[in-house]
Amino acid sequence: MTSTAPPTLPGHDAGEEPPSWQLRMRRFGHAPRPRTGLRERLVPPFTRPSGQLWTVLGLSPVAAARIVRVSAWAGPLLVTLVAGLMRFWHLGAPHAVIFDETYYAKDAWALINHGYEGDWPKDIDKSILANPDLISVPTAPGYVVHPPVGKYLIGIGEKMFGFTPFGWRFMVAVLGTLSVLLLCRIGRRLFRSTFLGCLAGTLLAVDGLHFVMSRTALLDTVLMFFVVAAFGCLLVDRDRTRARLAAALPEGEDGELRPDAHIAATLRFGPRPWRIGAGLMLGLACGTKWNGLYILVFFCVMAVLWDAGARRTAGAVSPYRAVLRRDAFWAFLSTVPVAIATYMVSWTGWFVTDKGYGRHWADGRAGLSPDHIKLPVIGTINHLPQFDMSWVPAALRSFWHYETEVYSFHVGLTEGHTYQSNPWSWIVLGRPVSYYYESPNPGTGGCPSDAGGKCASEVLALGTPLLWWAACFAILYVLWRWLFRRDWRAGAIACGIAAGYLPWFMYQERTIFFFYAVVFVPFLCLAVAMMIGAIIGPPGSDERRRAVGSIGAGVLVLLIIWNFIYFWPIFTGMPIPLDSWRSRMWLDTWV
């Protein structure tokens, strides 16, 4: 008797009827994606190079396995070494106080010496550059509008190498270099590919904005480092909790995991030190600049969604209810209070030295609550009822008053600036920021004697154009992957970009600058790396598809690296003929 059972397609169990559309599309070459087992969905394996590569190289399986194991760290370390050499090359040049270094370098020096920021005399920068040993640290407190963590780190470099440009840029360069290493490892874990992880780190190493910011004593690179570290901690926590979930699920006779609604809904994940580490990093981020608060909110929501996704994959019928019962409280406790405590500890110098700006504001005042309260975005609410706050120590009331005044400064900063820009223009590099510009004559200041005219020496905070313009398409790609393919990796990258980018749209009337975007540059690099991985082709693609994709991806990466090299002079302040400088001003708004 002839069997009338429907044919079995790849990715479907025997006896399971495939959807009719797949049967109809099979004649046109459609092949369904292979079904992934539950274990692989909870804990995806790392990809390995095909055996053909090792055969071509003449390596035995044992040697190949050793290379794969070593490359997990050797590759990221090599990329980091190259990034570090570039960032520390002539780090003290230009020998000048460039852009906002005039604030943070001096605040850091006072903070590391006295424990609080001082009120520096005006026009003291030239004296500092001429002979820093003769400069005395002011004892009068200064009014500052940023928390102290980033300035403490800058001050460590100054304490090690002196009150000089190299000294105040040293720790920022260290953190910028280490962020490349972090991104390599994060990309490897995110994509389960050492190659794509190292590619993401390489893209970060050759991004002009990240490069310039890593060589300038501003706070944004410090903030970026802590944000990337927090993301990495959450990523490790995600892998470890899903591994615990996989270990608790039952196995079938074929050795495959089976979903279990009861286990998925009731399993407790136990201690989660990596989530506490994320809370610590986010607290340090907030202790560097206040926009770390928005990143804290975005990342906490992302972590809760990851927990819900894990429980749903394991078979939970109501994953969000399970998360509320088992995970939400501990997720909050291990991040938000830890971040708040870290932020408060960062102000220890202000409390202990007893001399910080506004430290004694509440002394001798009635212990009443203020008659107004300032809320983010909403504004100021006046004429609130008075409450007796005498039970709150005067130091804490002074601290709260100081914080509200700083918030008022930030949201009310609308004074125009030559290099301010709207966040709408950031992604396309509409208005970069010139940190330093000099026009030396031929034969002076590094300008070649045969230049034929004055040279231009500029440090321009500009992202590598081809990388950023490729990132415009990469953002669209990750959004498509997240919304239509439910790819959690794309969602994580989109969350990182959104956390550092979207909040600035609420303050479009404020004076803001393009270099704030360095916080989400690592996530742009992850997005471009993910897009390049798609260009190369998914595993299982035929050789022709892989070859064409690899050539296209290789050309794109080489063009980005060439673009970084081409703009190197205006990233480093290297004197070049004026015509050469003009040829690098691709848009009128860059001048």
Side-chain angles (χ1 to χ4, degrees), residues 118 122 230 272 286 294 309 328-329 355 368 372 390 447 477 552 586:
K122 293 183 179 180
R272 302 177 71 166
C286 296
Y294 294 106
F329 174 75
K355 294 182 180 179
L368 297 176
H372 67 281
S390 58
C447 181
Y477 172 71
W586 287 3

Side-chain angles (χ1 to χ4, degrees), residues 167-182:
W168 60 64
R169 294 169 191 163
F170 176 79
M171 284 303 298
V172 180
V174 168
L175 296 182
T177 302
L178 290 178
S179 67
V180 173
L181 176 62
L182 285 178

Side-chain angles (χ1 to χ4, degrees), residues 86 89-90 93-94 211-212 215 436 457-460 564 567-575:
M86 292 191 300
W89 182 83
H90 288 185
F211 176 78
V212 170
R215 292 167 53 88
Y436 170 84
S457 174
E458 182 175 31
V459 176
L460 185 66
F564 173 76
F567 282 97
W568 174 273
I570 64 172
F571 292 152
T572 59
M574 179 185 299

Side-chain angles (χ1 to χ4, degrees), residues 532 535-536 549-559:
I532 289 175
I535 292 173
I536 294 174
S550 297
I551 293 172
V555 169
L556 175 59
V557 172
L558 290 176
L559 285 174

Side-chain angles (χ1 to χ4, degrees), residues 358-379:
R359 173 65 176 77
H360 297 285
W361 175 85
D363 293 357
R365 293 175 178 266
L368 297 176
S369 64
D371 60 356
H372 67 281
I373 186 171
K374 299 179 180 67
L375 298 175
V377 182
I378 297 175

